[in-house]
Amino acid sequence: AALIDASARQESIIAAAELGVWSWDIGTDRVAGHARMAALYGIPEAEHASAPLARYFEAVHPDDAPAVQALLSDAAARGVPYDATFRIRREGGGWRWVIGRGSVVQAPDGGARMRGVVIDASRQFEAEQQLRLSEERYRTLFDSIDEGVCVIEMLYDSNGQPCDYRFLETNPAFVKQTGLNDAVGRTMRQLAPGHERHWFEIY
């Protein structure tokens, strides 16, 4: 009963974490893949317990496969951890990003096995891509407008009174209109020690 309970907990964790669990017998070149692992790679149920490594690589993006094979071979030969990020084919078309990790262990029969996981990282990578695109659009707009624009961080003295501000971002038009070159990261007092205090209070 305890074993069944522990197994159920393990299955729940694997499902929640979107993990594919695998074990590769290096000597016989047979991969035993968890159901989630097989589903990620499109491996039929009959081959879950014993498919050659090449069968899994059929799903790996052709541009990524050579680098992943090299990392896996090096890890197996030297007994070092395996860590790779690559794409595998989606069942409905297209590609998903995954992270593969594993380590070599000695089997009871004296052979060597590599055990590890594959993490479905598609949502993370897609979110990062959307963030990069958003940042690129922002930067294009920020840099191309004719108005001088800056983003500043207000600085306060020990009494809570505004005493300076630091430039966080400036666009080319700002530099052209003010003559303040290389302002980012510096404060107004550093650039112009005599700057009037009332500007700090206004900002």
Side-chain angles (χ1 to χ4, degrees), residues 1-202:
L3 182 60
I4 291 171
D5 183 55
S7 178
R9 288 200 304 272
Q10 177 179 290
E11 291 296 323
S12 297
I13 292 169
I14 289 170
E18 299 183 313
L19 294 176
V21 181
W22 52 272
S23 176
W24 174 36
D25 188 317
I26 299 171
T28 62
D29 187 31
R30 286 293 179 267
V31 178
H34 184 271
R36 171 67 177 164
M37 174 73 176
L40 281 170
Y41 282 81
I43 305 296
E45 187 174 350
E47 299 180 57
H48 283 194
S50 183
L53 187 62
R55 186 78 175 79
Y56 283 85
F57 269 93
E58 290 173 6
V60 178
H61 195 290
D63 292 345
D64 300 339
V68 177
Q69 286 174 324
L71 287 169
L72 200 56
S73 297
D74 182 61
R78 298 197 297 127
V80 297
Y82 157 70
D83 192 334
T85 301
F86 53 96
R87 291 161 289 180
I88 56 176
R89 186 178 294 106
R90 290 183 186 271
E91 185 177 357
W95 302 91
R96 77 169 78 238
W97 283 98
V98 298
I99 300 169
R101 291 182 180 144
S103 56
V104 177
V105 295
Q106 292 300 312
D109 59 8
R113 284 200 176 103
M114 185 178 288
R115 292 176 180 160
V117 296
V118 168
I119 306 164
D120 187 347
S122 296
R123 284 184 292 186
Q124 174 188 337
F125 276 79
E126 287 165 4
E128 289 174 354
Q129 185 179 33
Q130 288 300 316
L131 179 60
R132 281 196 299 271
L133 289 173
S134 177
E135 289 175 344
E136 287 172 7
R137 287 194 295 268
Y138 164 75
R139 180 53 55 190
T140 299
L141 174 63
F142 189 76
D143 288 346
S144 63
I145 58 178
D146 294 331
E147 289 76 15
V149 181
C150 65
V151 179
I152 62 173
E153 172 192 14
M154 288 306 307
L155 303 175
Y156 301 86
D157 62 22
S158 58
N159 296 319
Q161 297 302 308
C163 61
D164 204 348
Y165 55 84
R166 180 180 292 108
F167 289 95
L168 302 181
E169 293 184 77
T170 62
N171 70 346
F174 175 86
V175 176
K176 183 178 180 180
Q177 293 169 15
T178 65
L180 295 175
N181 291 300
D182 301 319
V184 175
R186 301 167 71 184
T187 71
M188 192 61 197
R189 281 278 169 83
Q190 288 173 327
L191 295 166
H195 196 61
E196 298 91 342
R197 186 181 182 91
H198 73 270
W199 287 111
F200 305 142
E201 295 169 354
I202 289 171

